[in-house]
Amino acid sequence: MRVAVYSTRPYDREYLARADAQRRHDFVFLDVRLEAATAAAADGAQAVCVFVNDRVDADVLRALHARGVRLVALRCAGFNHVDLAAAAALGIAVGRVPEYSPHAVAEHTMALVLALDRKIHRAYNRVREGNFALDGLLGFDLFGRTVGIVGTGRIGSAFARIAAGFGCRVLASARRVNPECEALGVRYVERDELLAASDIVSLHCPLTPDTRHLIDARALATMKRGAMLVNTSRGALVDTRAVIGALKSGRLGSLAIDVYEEEGDLFFRDLSDEVIHDDVFARLLTFPNVLVTAHQAFFTDDALAAIAATTIANLDAFEAGGQPLHPVSVERLA
Ligand code: NAI
């Protein structure tokens, strides 16, 4: 099957080619992001393969449909960027990679917590410049601290296990209780109670109309003064302007993010020779107590191999029976 692969980076090419060892699919690798202006590049393809910042709205889906595309194969778990109702109306199937390595994201989350707490990002630069003073590097023990996890699915529960391993008291708020978390001793509470009691709040729920700006000015005012906020899920779970206000006032102690609400124009490319036009993002980078990584939580060898294998399985199943192995449908939003 001919597949137009959007937002391709060298590693996507390498892992997809390796997973399709029998060369069953004809991949057309495109560097560009999928959007209305680039949909024409899918001409002649039966499927498009896309990532987190590709645009898969109704206009783009109509343009793809007119060119013969009948499958959108996501190389990611989240599907908040796909208009599922429009896809269903056009008869375009949508497949995703529901699970590749929850550990990759959960472990990166803990890496961010530890780096931000112990100021590793600052210490690294200081030591290289011959500054061995400790002033400004004071951290806190994780042992005995309270970690609040919003969303205890695959990634949230993996992070709960890691936090429990550090001796943290773990609270959770979620739509459904996860028995694995309960067995770890995680206590489920209302979201406001979690925000008020946690030293570290980590977000692991999907982005939906319900969860957009889940952390807004009100939620920040509910949080413990000086707490740490971590977001490795989706940028728009957090109202970035409200977070900047809370950092300026000192209400929010520190922030670690792997995702940003307007990351589509920034992440996954080298802009080091260019001027950043996003003033909100640029302001975030000025805080000493803010740590940003550019959507790399998933980026491990294990995860890339699993993403490629599941993507090929979705393409194979669609070719054989008209449905991807892991379909996403409008009902999933209910
Ligand atoms: P999952 O579907 O296994 O778990 C999501 C959990 O959130 C479920 O337990 C669900 O009940 C809960 N939930 C849904 N709405 C909620 C709400 N309003 N409040 C509290 N909990 C709610 O998903 P998984 O695999 O754990 O992934 C979580 C998110 O992580 C994905 O949606 C994606 O956005 C993000 N992600 C980020 C990556 C990165 O590289 N930074 C990579 C992979 C996923």
Side-chain angles (χ1 to χ4, degrees):
M1 185 163 60
R2 195 171 170 85
V3 185
V5 186
Y6 282 89
S7 300
T8 308
R9 297 292 169 264
Y11 45 84
D12 296 311
R13 202 180 287 246
E14 182 190 327
Y15 280 82
L16 277 175
R18 206 186 295 161
D20 186 32
Q22 285 145 31
R23 301 277 176 274
R24 275 198 299 273
H25 304 290
D26 173 17
F27 291 116
V28 180
F29 291 110
L30 305 159
D31 296 348
V32 290
R33 222 192 320 167
L34 174 61
E35 54 196 351
T38 60
D43 231 357
Q46 290 84 57
V48 292
C49 181
V50 301
F51 198 47
V52 291
N53 291 325
D54 288 297
R55 190 176 289 258
V56 200
D57 60 17
D59 283 348
V60 169
L61 285 163
R62 272 192 292 273
L64 292 174
H65 184 265
R67 287 177 167 79
V69 171
R70 295 294 178 266
L71 171 68
V72 173
L74 302 169
R75 305 197 291 283
C76 53
F79 47 87
N80 50 284
H81 54 316
V82 183
D83 187 332
L84 293 176
L90 290 162
I92 295 180
V94 181
R96 66 172 184 143
V97 183
E99 179 176 55
Y100 40 92
S101 171
H103 312 294
V105 183
E107 289 170 16
H108 188 76
T109 304
M110 187 47 102
L112 289 175
V113 169
L114 287 169
L116 193 54
D117 169 21
R118 306 305 294 270
K119 325 280 191 288
I120 304 295
H121 54 307
R122 305 187 70 194
Y124 174 80
N125 288 324
R126 266 194 203 186
V127 168
R128 285 171 72 93
E129 292 197 354
N131 177 355
F132 308 116
L134 298 183
D135 314 69
L137 300 183
L138 191 67
F140 56 85
D141 288 9
L142 285 182
F143 184 87
R145 286 297 198 291
T146 301
V147 172
I149 301 180
V150 181
T152 52
R154 284 170 281 247
I155 296 171
S157 59
F159 182 62
R161 235 182 347 263
I162 295 172
F166 271 79
C168 298
R169 184 168 82 101
V170 185
L171 302 179
S173 93
R175 279 188 161 176
R176 273 183 297 277
V177 167
N178 181 334
E180 249 185 77
C181 289
E182 278 194 318
L184 278 173
V186 173
R187 197 159 67 82
Y188 282 84
V189 295
E190 288 302 315
R191 191 188 302 149
D192 277 358
E193 185 183 341
L194 177 146
L195 293 175
S198 299
D199 300 292
I200 298 166
V201 173
S202 193
L203 307 179
H204 299 286
C205 59
L207 175 62
T208 64
D210 273 359
T211 60
R212 180 171 206 89
H213 287 186
L214 180 127
I215 301 296
D216 57 7
R218 195 200 70 85
L220 288 159
T222 309
M223 283 173 71
K224 210 174 189 178
R225 192 174 179 83
M228 181 191 292
L229 175 65
V230 189
N231 185 10
T232 57
S233 191
R234 283 294 178 265
L237 293 176
V238 170
D239 178 345
T240 314
R241 287 169 198 273
V243 158
I244 288 174
L247 284 164
K248 281 165 79 175
S249 72
R251 164 117 225 127
L252 185 62
S254 55
L255 171 76
I257 53 172
D258 185 53
V259 287
Y260 167 60
E261 27 185 351
E262 304 298 336
E263 70 177 49
D265 292 330
L266 296 168
F267 288 4
F268 303 119
R269 68 196 91 151
D270 180 359
L271 300 179
S272 53
D273 278 338
E274 294 183 28
V275 171
I276 303 276
H277 288 277
D278 182 333
D279 291 346
V280 174
F281 186 72
R283 180 68 178 100
L284 270 186
L285 298 183
T286 66
F287 290 97
N289 49 349
V290 170
L291 186 53
V292 182
T293 51
H295 211 136
Q296 72 171 80
F298 75 100
F299 200 57
T300 65
D301 173 57
D302 313 69
L304 288 190
I307 289 171
T310 305
T311 299
I312 299 295
N314 275 334
L315 298 175
D316 288 349
F318 180 79
E319 198 166 36
Q323 273 302 317
L325 189 62
H326 301 285
V328 190
S329 59
V330 196
E331 296 75 55
R332 276 200 56 100
L333 288 176

